Amino acid sequence: MSSASGFQPVPRESTSSLITRQLREGIMRGALPAGTQLSEVALAAEFGVSRGPLREAMQRLVQEGLVRSELNRGLFVKELDEAEIRDLYLTRTAIETTAARAVAHSEAVIPGTERLRARAAAMAAAAAAGDLEALADADFAFHEELVSLAGSPRLHRVHETLMVETRMCMTALQGTYFDPEDQVAEHSRIVEAIASGDDAALVREIEEHMQEALDRLVRASR
Amino acid sequence: MSSASGFQPVPRESTSSLITRQLREGIMRGALPAGTQLSEVALAAEFGVSRGPLREAMQRLVQEGLVRSELNRGLFVKELDEAEIRDLYLTRTAIETTAARAVAHSEAVIPGTERLRARAAAMAAAAAAGDLEALADADFAFHEELVSLAGSPRLHRVHETLMVETRMCMTALQGTYFDPEDQVAEHSRIVEAIASGDDAALVREIEEHMQEALDRLVRASR
DNA sequence: TATCTCCGGATTGTTGACAATCTTCACAGG
DNA sequence: CCTGTGAAGATTGTCAACAATCCGGAGATA
């Protein structure tokens, strides 16, 4: 059998894994707002499985920190107060600066920056069109791409959770207005800093971007 | 009811949580070496519970990345090749530099550095006594303390997993000899950098320390 | 001999039922 | 009016049995 046939391993996935993904999506999109109790029977019925696999999925989310477990009481979607939001952005900064530096020093800087420029362009387009939802999506795609390019499974796994939490915040504050142009400009500066290979500038740009984003969120939440 | 009574909430904990902790300990200490299959029935019997809670604990470890799941095949303790070890230290650097900077800029720098100095002193004592096991323990306690002092739940949770993986590596390479004095000196330099409040120096010290530790590990594993 | 088929044993995946716990509400007593 | 008691209802925690899947080897066939 040729190994050059280009076949990929069959993407079989456990039920609990599939459920976890859907629940995460629900938490992210606001279908399961912060604080809601997650009823096992109700969710199990909705997913069409028994409580076993569903409970396994729940434990994953608990480990991820997206869900809080109270013994004999139930599971609740975690709520984010201001201190938590600050912690979230502190951690995002840690992960993303490291990722960006890894990209900047990797052999694939050129195609990497190219892809990031494309993401930034998508943001600009959404901003120009005044489509705030598309802008948010493009924003997320940018950061997701950035960390993916670093090629670090650990940074990526941690970042995935952080992005869910970020989106949770933004969903909760939906309707508040941010200046799109600022956001677009900040992302462009990050890309160019990566391209330049200047570590100090790079770190500074990301830290500033995170600080700005955090300020926008905190301001909106009061 | 006074809220200043100093009582803490009763530390009730779910069974799956307790099992998770024990399994993690086992993986860390080498009782469950990398690559071993984790038999559900055997482990459930050992813990004296049924397979339900045990499976929930397993899913937590999968989410943590310490255990790999093959559908209909079983669960295996994750193995770390050289690339994984590099990724591990990359991520540790990201977390610990951020934590150290947070400590350096916090209001509690003074007591913080004091506690870290105590940890470093414990390392020095173990090194002087030639007790390599105690040295490793003190080493871990130092890094654990460093991240705890940052007061960031996210950094702490991520770091916990990373330290388990680190210990896994070191357990696997048990018997190899490292120069204790170097290690002690590196940690002392980190503490003093925190005390000095010089961010650049701080980051440099931690990055160098991680690079050294990584080199020691990689060298020993070949 | 090489290959294919099939079967037995073992392990995981899933389920429904049972036990334990918590919450809520009504109600009696001070 | 407030406090304590108790039972009903609902929810979570746990278990043991059943179903599905995988692995290895014996045996048949060319």
Side-chain angles (χ1 to χ4, degrees):
Chain A
M1 185 82 75
S2 165
S3 64
S5 46
F7 290 142
Q8 291 185 351
V10 184
R12 298 184 315 167
E13 211 175 351
S14 72
T15 312
S16 62
S17 186
L18 294 167
I19 297 178
T20 305
R21 183 124 34 85
Q22 286 207 47
L23 285 174
R24 206 178 317 175
E25 194 82 12
I27 292 174
M28 194 169 85
R29 300 281 176 187
L32 302 169
T36 357
Q37 175 162 16
L38 300 170
S39 160
E40 296 184 0
V41 282
L43 288 173
E46 200 160 345
F47 284 113
V49 297
S50 83
R51 284 172 54 214
L54 186 113
R55 281 177 63 92
E56 290 171 17
M58 292 297 210
Q59 293 302 322
R60 285 202 185 199
L61 295 175
V62 169
Q63 185 62 39
E64 238 181 299
L66 295 175
V67 162
R68 168 176 48 90
S69 159
E70 293 186 22
L71 192 59
N72 287 320
R73 190 90 55 96
L75 297 151
F76 304 83
V77 180
K78 201 159 180 190
E79 316 192 38
L80 296 177
D81 58 13
E82 189 176 318
E84 288 277 315
I85 296 178
R86 289 184 183 283
D87 185 48
L88 167 58
Y89 273 84
L90 174 73
T91 313
R92 272 193 65 185
T93 307
I95 300 297
E96 296 199 28
T97 49
T98 304
R101 287 176 61 187
V103 174
H105 297 146
S106 86
E107 297 173 2
V109 213
I110 313 289
T113 49
E114 220 36 64
R115 296 179 72 162
L116 287 173
R117 278 201 191 93
R119 300 290 187 181
M123 285 186 68
D131 187 342
L132 291 180
E133 175 125 9
L135 178 61
D137 284 336
D139 187 347
F140 273 72
F142 178 94
H143 291 279
E144 154 71 21
E145 180 88 63
L146 172 62
V147 177
S148 290
L149 287 170
S152 158
R154 281 166 188 75
L155 291 181
H156 192 273
R157 175 151 29 102
V158 174
H159 189 252
E160 203 176 342
T161 303
L162 299 177
M163 290 313 277
V164 173
E165 295 183 289
T166 304
R167 188 122 211 177
M168 257 176 88
C169 293
M170 302 195 61
T171 306
L173 299 173
Q174 210 170 25
T176 51
Y177 177 78
F178 305 138
D179 184 2
E181 298 307 326
D182 282 354
Q183 291 185 59
V184 174
E186 287 170 21
H187 288 81
S188 294
R189 283 205 297 275
I190 292 175
V191 181
E192 298 319 315
I194 293 177
S196 80
D198 180 348
D199 262 28
L202 176 51
V203 171
R204 192 176 56 243
E205 290 298 342
I206 293 189
E207 287 182 352
E208 268 179 25
H209 173 54
M210 291 295 172
Q211 189 60 50
E212 292 289 334
L214 175 58
D215 284 347
R216 281 192 282 263
L217 266 184
V218 171
R219 223 180 305 133
S221 72
R222 295 199 270 220
Chain B
M1 184 84 77
S2 167
S3 64
S5 46
F7 290 144
Q8 291 185 351
V10 184
R12 299 181 316 166
E13 212 175 349
S14 71
T15 313
S16 62
S17 186
L18 294 166
I19 297 178
T20 305
R21 182 126 34 88
Q22 285 207 48
L23 285 174
R24 204 178 318 173
E25 195 83 11
I27 292 174
M28 193 169 87
R29 299 279 176 189
L32 301 169
T36 18
Q37 176 163 14
L38 301 170
S39 161
E40 296 184 359
V41 282
L43 288 174
E46 199 160 344
F47 284 113
V49 297
S50 84
R51 285 172 55 215
L54 186 113
R55 281 176 63 93
E56 290 172 17
M58 292 296 209
Q59 292 303 321
R60 285 201 184 199
L61 296 174
V62 169
Q63 185 63 38
E64 238 181 301
L66 295 173
V67 162
R68 169 177 46 89
S69 161
E70 292 186 23
L71 192 59
N72 286 321
R73 190 89 56 94
L75 296 153
F76 304 84
V77 181
K78 199 159 183 190
E79 316 191 38
L80 296 178
D81 59 13
E82 190 177 318
E84 289 276 318
I85 297 178
R86 289 184 183 283
D87 185 48
L88 168 58
Y89 273 84
L90 174 72
T91 312
R92 272 193 64 186
T93 308
I95 300 298
E96 296 198 28
T97 49
T98 303
R101 286 176 62 189
V103 174
H105 296 147
S106 85
E107 296 173 3
V109 212
I110 313 288
T113 49
E114 221 35 65
R115 297 178 72 162
L116 287 172
R117 279 202 191 94
R119 300 290 187 182
M123 286 187 66
D131 186 343
L132 292 182
E133 175 123 10
L135 177 62
D137 284 337
D139 187 346
F140 273 73
F142 178 94
H143 290 279
E144 156 71 19
E145 180 88 62
L146 172 61
V147 177
S148 289
L149 287 171
S152 158
R154 283 167 186 74
L155 291 180
H156 192 273
R157 183 178 30 202
V158 174
H159 189 252
E160 202 176 343
T161 303
L162 299 176
M163 291 312 278
V164 173
E165 295 184 289
T166 304
R167 188 123 211 178
M168 257 177 88
C169 292
M170 303 195 60
T171 307
L173 299 173
Q174 208 168 26
T176 51
Y177 178 78
F178 305 135
D179 184 1
E181 298 306 328
D182 281 356
Q183 291 185 60
V184 174
E186 287 171 21
H187 288 81
S188 294
R189 282 204 298 275
I190 292 175
V191 181
E192 297 319 316
I194 292 176
S196 80
D198 180 347
D199 261 28
L202 175 51
V203 171
R204 191 175 58 243
E205 289 300 342
I206 292 189
E207 286 182 352
E208 268 179 26
H209 172 54
M210 290 295 171
Q211 189 61 50
E212 293 290 333
L214 176 58
D215 284 347
R216 281 193 282 263
L217 266 184
V218 171
R219 221 180 305 133
S221 72
R222 294 196 272 221

